[in-house]
Amino acid sequence: RKEVEQDPGPFNVPEGATVAFNCTYSNSASQSFFWYRQDCRKEPKLLMSVYSSGNEDGRFTAQLNRASQYISLLIRDSKLSDSATYLCVVRLGRANNLFFGTGTRLTVIP
Amino acid sequence: DAGVIQSPRHEVTEMGQEVTLRCKPISGHNSLFWYRQTMMRGLELLIYFNNNVPIDDSGMPEDRFSAKMPNASFSTLKIQPSEPRDSAVYFCASSIDGKGEKLFFGSGTQLSVL
């Protein structure tokens, strides 16, 4: 079983729409959670960390549900520039190992 | 800051040849990671170093793969001999802390083994 599982999509949404991605993780000992963004043919870049209390950064909201072992990312008022692959990332305990999901592809359509 | 620098950007080689990928982490970062990305398996950690010392190489596929970090500003990933199934994008990343929570990735090396 994979450590991190995501719906690969693609999600095709119109500009201005709200879109949400979920990600599930298998190890209940996981301690840190993140969303990375990867543009086509580019390297991944940290989008935001996910805190237990949930956190918001502009149009982006991340939430963690430890009981159900899933993480979500909500994007409001989608922009064309939001088109990318969104990677869910989990860190286990104190290990220096981050487990990446295979990503969810988002395309925002004009 | 120039960020994490990888070379080459693209490498095309024939099966059986040796391939060497290079990485220069961000100055001051004490952790360095090598990842491989494919469509099927996504990003997989191959090995990581902390203060130039290999900490976990359990992700290295087999003995054909080796990695070194002779100093804080340089690392190599070598594949010898290369095989077509090694074709992937290889990313190097560094982080300032020992937890690797915020990784800064290089632009990657697109490797094609024919």
Side-chain angles (χ1 to χ4, degrees), chain B residues 8-105:
Chain B
R9 288 297 304 275
H10 304 277
E11 177 79 27
V12 181
T13 189
E14 293 185 344
M15 182 173 64
Q17 297 297 306
E18 177 179 296
V19 174
T20 299
L21 312 181
R22 297 173 177 79
C23 175
K24 176 180 168 55
I26 294 173
S27 177
H29 284 195
N30 65 354
S31 293
L32 182 141
F33 304 77
W34 281 102
Y35 282 88
R36 177 172 68 177
Q37 187 175 38
T38 60
M39 288 290 292
M40 290 299 296
R41 302 172 69 90
L43 269 165
E44 299 174 289
L45 179 67
L46 300 176
I47 184 171
Y48 79 86
F49 296 83
N50 193 41
N51 293 322
N52 313 338
V53 176
I55 303 300
D56 183 358
D57 65 354
S58 59
M60 296 286 259
E62 48 199 271
D63 292 345
R64 297 185 298 107
F65 286 68
S66 62
K68 294 181 180 179
M69 192 166 185
N71 57 61
S73 59
F74 184 65
S75 176
T76 59
L77 177 68
K78 185 177 294 186
I79 309 172
Q80 165 64 18
S82 58
E83 296 183 2
R85 59 192 168 121
D86 301 331
S87 298
V89 180
Y90 290 80
F91 285 105
C92 175
S94 68
S95 70
I96 196 168
D97 60 22
K99 299 177 183 177
E101 290 189 352
K102 184 173 183 179
L103 294 182
F104 293 83
F105 284 82

Side-chain angles (χ1 to χ4, degrees), chain A residues 8 36-40 82-87 102-106:
Chain A
Y36 275 69
R37 170 191 168 131
Q38 186 172 23
D39 293 302
C40 187
D82 294 334
S83 298
T85 296
Y86 291 84
L87 304 170
T102 51
T104 298
R105 179 154 182 79
L106 171 67

